Amino acid sequence: MIAQEKKQHKLNHILILTILWLLGAVSDRFWLTFDKSVPAWDQADYLTGSLTYWRALQNVQLFSGEWWRHFWELSPKVPPLTYILTVPFQNIFGRGADEATLVHLLFSAILLTSVYSLGSKLFNQKVGFWAAVLCILFPGLYRYRLQFLLDYPLTAMVTLSFCCLTFWYRKKEEGRRKKEEGRKKVLLFLDREEGTGKREQGGKKVLLFWENFIGLISAKIDKLFPDQSLKDWLWATAFGLTFGLAILVKQTTIFFLFVPLLWVGLNILKKRQWYKLIQLIYSLCLSVAIFYPWARTNWLLMLTAGKRATVDSAIAEGDPNLLSLDAWIYYGKLLPYHISLPLLIIPIGGLIFYFIRLNKKQQNFSTQLHSFQWLAIFLIGGYLICSLNINKDFRYTLPLLPILSILLAFGLMQFPRKLGKQIRYFTIGLAILLMLLNLWPVGGIFLRQITAWLSPGAVYYAHLGKEWPHRKVIAEIINTDPYLRSTLGVLPSTPEINQHNLNYYGALKNLQVYGRQVGTNLKQVEQDARSLSWFVTKTDEQGSVKRIKKAQAAIVNIIEQHPNFQLQKSWQLPDNSNLNLYHNQFLPVEVNPLTKPKEKVQLDYIILSPKIRPGTTIPITYKWSGSWQELQSGLVLLTYRRENIAIPTVTKYIDNSPKSPFVRGTLNAPPGARGGSKTDNNVSEKPITKFIHDHGIGMGSLHPGMFQANQSEVGFEVIERIGMLPPSNIVPGTYILEATYLNRETGESYPITVQPPVRVEVDPEAQILPAPELDLVTQLRMWGQKLPLGIKGLETVFAEVGRVNQYDPVQDYTEQAEQALTYRLQQEPDNLELLYGLALSQVLQKDAEGAIATLTRVTELDSQNPFAYAYLAFVYLYDLNPGAAEMALKSALEIDPHQPEIRSLNGIAALMQGNLVQAWQDFRSQKSEVRSQK
């Protein structure tokens, strides 16, 4: 009878929770339907990630190692499970921000089920039920249920993982807890009986009945699962799977489960439960197996990004110092914001009443002691570790709330029976009313003031006003440059107007427009302005640009004042400020359709000065024509080779009309005019008699999505207006152009006829002409020339790579460089300069295998350069091969044992192999070398 009643209660609870889940889903969809806001920084960034994985999963190649490597590389900083789980919803309902948040229906179901199960396990079904109800009504949870962030999925997965850990670790305590609960109920029953004798006689009978009943239930369970260890292994497996999946949602899972796992491990060792220890190790190994492929691929970038996301962000946002009290009470002060005062104070009152009653009746507290202790381990451990993180944010402690809801639900259940029911309904009713007032701009001033007092900081109104113009901005850019992949320089950074959400709306349009924040470094402002064709500025509030205020003001001034840029369109924003879209009228790449189809790529003409100065960027214009497929997939390998006999030049002269981008203002000033005209050829200073200008047609900016629409029925012409850099040590004389076409997709190549022949004279006294920025492939080859210098060269490379990657968001220039240099090296296998450039392009693509092969060849040709071996060792370490790295570093140390960077790498290699003594010696030696160099 008792079992039947409990089963009925459980079914009722599940039915009611299902209804509440559906009501929550309807409420969320209703809110999202009317809301016209745009995603802020992180939300838009995560939405873009979901689109990236949606595209990847349209062409699955399960048995391709290369496909899997690329799949995990798509999200190098953030684990991708939430993105992957969003894909089915996007396939069914569409690819928009509101559709992506449908994945939260899944996580809500996981959260409610986990909380209900935990509460039932640790206390009883009623506590589990009310804890799940509270999770629906916590402002800290329903607010983030409406946003595409990782914190709500993380909360659900951490709760599920902790639930599985609880069921596994506390399995043997279940029978004892049920017996204690039964005894407690019997005692409560006896208290209601009249007469001492009757109490004693009836008590014995009921106790005997209860013990027999528990024995019967246990026998049935044992019959269903004859081997107790099988159930333990199943729960250990469940924990291993859920823990691994939780880490694949967000790495901060470890913040919340580290202390409970440590507690479990120590208790197992203390009690010498070796069987349990084996199960724990098995479950952790299973977790590692789940997240290892992603972590293995992205571990280095994950660590470096983690530093920026914690230390750098904390400094920028002014978070409290860890040595201050504020750092440790930061999240405690936010508790009313997360929960609301009614859901916090009333349950706490119930807990106080419980302890008062417990003390008066002198009842046994051991029934709930272990459950309270287990919840406290999770809550206190998670709170302390989150407080230890110097970067603090409102949403970082959300996974603590479901576990806290169990304690609060227990408190709600402790009021006297008749009064308690009314208190619970009043509390929940008030919480529902506060939720409605927090989500919708309804009610008068008085109601809003009451809401702000009872539920502070929880207002998250749906935006019911004018729409933001993001889609219109993207459409304007695509309509103007329909054949190009464009990068939009975003100069303001507000929650509504920022690089991430403009990038997201560009991604929705088949990745044709990318938004990037530029103008953040005052020294690079002019390069930023020269390198992009589209910019948006905003009047009034500029947002979070305080750190870069001077740089941002400088680039805004350039864009708004320079005659090359014209205002394309302007929109009034809901906050009454204006969003302005500017376009450079002198495009580096221009595409026009032709009336006649063309099969092979042709070079129609080149425009450049008849005389050029070595070591100085010169302006040059190429015009190519051909089919869309050939142009979009094409690389052009251009070689300017010295002629032995002087022949009159046959070139077109530069256009000096007022429309030329090469002669107006300082925006397009050459490197010489900016104090950096000369290039250092660090590989070889011997005179050379040729130079190259390899690059993708249109610098790789021809949008691949156009191919399906155009096929080969129509020809196209592509005009490139870019800079070219003859080396500083080139021999003066007349140079003639040789051109080769290379298809990036098929590997097909053929010579391009240059008719009439293009000749140019290299003259150290030639006039310096204003020029655009160098193409990115040329810049990468220049960085490669600095690699033999070691750390001095790397500092320049790192600074430049970060800048250039903003201009080419897909980093296509690295692939262009790799393919062009690989082709060149087939003719010149011992060209050290080309090998360094190829290695750099492979490293930037995280192609460890290719970089190892290239750098091995570099060490053979540059065998007396210790940095060549150091680069090889670094890639081996990235590939988690410390033994091979140590062998390479041995050669480096034989050449130069005093380089601190090489010593550090050697220490890391030793540490990864478990050689702590060698690692300690190398790190001490590295510090000594640094001090001696100072």
Side-chain angles (χ1 to χ4, degrees), residues 348-404:
I348 289 176
L351 287 172
I352 294 172
F353 181 79
Y354 167 75
F355 286 109
I356 291 173
R357 186 180 60 184
L358 192 71
N359 184 54
K360 283 183 177 180
K361 295 190 176 183
Q362 297 181 347
Q363 294 175 354
N364 189 2
F365 182 54
S366 62
T367 305
Q368 288 87 21
L369 177 61
H370 290 284
S371 297
F372 285 139
Q373 183 187 58
W374 182 237
L375 295 177
I377 289 168
F378 179 92
L379 292 170
I380 296 173
Y383 184 92
L384 291 177
I385 293 180
C386 287
S387 298
L388 191 62
N389 180 8
I390 63 173
N391 183 28
K392 293 178 171 56
D393 191 272
F394 181 87
R395 64 181 195 264
Y396 288 172
T397 54
L398 289 188
L400 297 177
L401 298 186
I403 310 305
L404 186 59

Side-chain angles (χ1 to χ4, degrees), residues 572-604:
Q572 187 178 39
L573 302 177
D575 63 359
N576 294 322
S577 63
N578 287 329
L579 184 70
N580 301 319
L581 177 65
Y582 286 89
H583 189 210
N584 193 333
Q585 300 306 295
F586 305 105
L587 298 176
V589 179
E590 184 179 340
V591 181
N592 299 304
L594 301 175
T595 56
K596 296 181 180 180
K598 290 190 176 184
E599 294 183 2
K600 291 191 173 183
V601 170
Q602 299 177 9
L603 175 60
D604 296 334

Side-chain angles (χ1 to χ4, degrees), residues 54-67:
W54 174 83
R55 289 184 180 85
L57 290 170
Q58 302 310 302
N59 182 26
V60 178
Q61 301 174 32
L62 293 177
F63 302 104
S64 169
E66 184 62 26
W67 183 87

Side-chain angles (χ1 to χ4, degrees), residues 322-349:
L322 285 181
L323 298 179
S324 67
L325 179 62
D326 285 343
W328 300 96
I329 63 173
Y330 181 89
Y331 290 116
K333 292 188 295 185
L334 290 178
L335 202 56
Y337 295 76
H338 283 305
I339 295 177
S340 80
L341 291 178
L343 295 182
L344 181 63
I345 294 174
I346 296 174
I348 289 176

Side-chain angles (χ1 to χ4, degrees), residues 806-818:
Q806 296 294 86
Y807 311 151
D808 183 358
V810 297
Q811 281 83 67
D812 183 67
Y813 74 99
T814 62
E815 296 183 20
Q816 297 175 43
E818 180 185 20

Side-chain angles (χ1 to χ4, degrees), residues 463-654:
H463 175 66
L464 306 177
K466 186 178 178 183
E467 287 191 2
W468 296 84
H470 295 66
R471 297 180 190 274
K472 296 178 182 178
V473 172
I474 301 303
E476 184 68 25
I477 295 173
I478 293 175
N479 291 337
T480 306
D481 290 335
Y483 303 106
L484 298 178
R485 180 179 61 218
S486 302
T487 302
L488 172 65
V490 183
L491 303 185
S493 186
T494 69
E496 297 80 18
I497 304 293
N498 57 73
Q499 70 275 20
H500 291 302
N501 56 28
L502 283 164
N503 181 69
Y504 169 65
Y505 285 101
L508 285 173
K509 290 298 183 179
N510 202 18
L511 294 172
Q512 194 159 352
V513 179
Y514 291 82
R516 290 296 182 267
Q517 185 179 34
V518 294
T520 60
N521 186 328
L522 193 59
K523 296 178 181 178
Q524 298 174 351
V525 160
E526 289 198 5
Q527 287 176 297
D528 291 343
R530 281 192 302 271
S531 299
L532 298 180
S533 299
W534 293 96
F535 289 89
V536 288
T537 65
K538 180 183 178 296
T539 60
D540 298 339
E541 178 60 36
Q542 298 299 301
S544 58
V545 296
K546 294 180 181 179
R547 291 174 294 157
I548 56 169
K549 190 173 182 179
K550 290 184 179 179
Q552 198 248 7
I555 194 169
V556 168
N557 183 63
I558 290 175
I559 300 306
E560 293 181 344
Q561 302 299 325
H562 200 279
N564 282 5
F565 285 97
Q566 291 187 7
L567 180 63
Q568 181 82 10
K569 205 161 187 179
S570 182
W571 295 269
Q572 187 178 39
L573 302 177
D575 63 359
N576 294 322
S577 63
N578 287 329
L579 184 70
N580 301 319
L581 177 65
Y582 286 89
H583 189 210
N584 193 333
Q585 300 306 295
F586 305 105
L587 298 176
V589 179
E590 184 179 340
V591 181
N592 299 304
L594 301 175
T595 56
K596 296 181 180 180
K598 290 190 176 184
E599 294 183 2
K600 291 191 173 183
V601 170
Q602 299 177 9
L603 175 60
D604 296 334
Y605 65 74
I606 293 180
I607 301 176
L608 79 164
S609 172
K611 290 185 179 182
I612 60 176
R613 177 178 290 197
T616 303
T617 302
I618 64 167
I620 187 168
T621 300
Y622 299 98
K623 182 183 176 185
W624 312 94
S625 59
S627 69
W628 183 259
Q629 183 180 18
E630 290 283 290
L631 291 167
Q632 195 274 323
S633 303
L635 291 170
V636 283
L637 309 175
L638 307 178
T639 305
Y640 291 83
R641 199 180 303 275
R642 188 173 184 269
E643 287 189 316
N644 294 326
I645 303 174
I647 300 177
T649 58
V650 183
T651 68
K652 291 191 177 183
Y653 283 84
I654 189 168

Side-chain angles (χ1 to χ4, degrees), residues 1 125 128 132 148 174 181 227 229 396 429 543 887 919:
M1 199 74 178
Q125 291 177 3
F148 194 82
E174 181 69 9
E181 284 188 352
D227 188 1
S229 65
Y396 288 172
M887 293 297 294

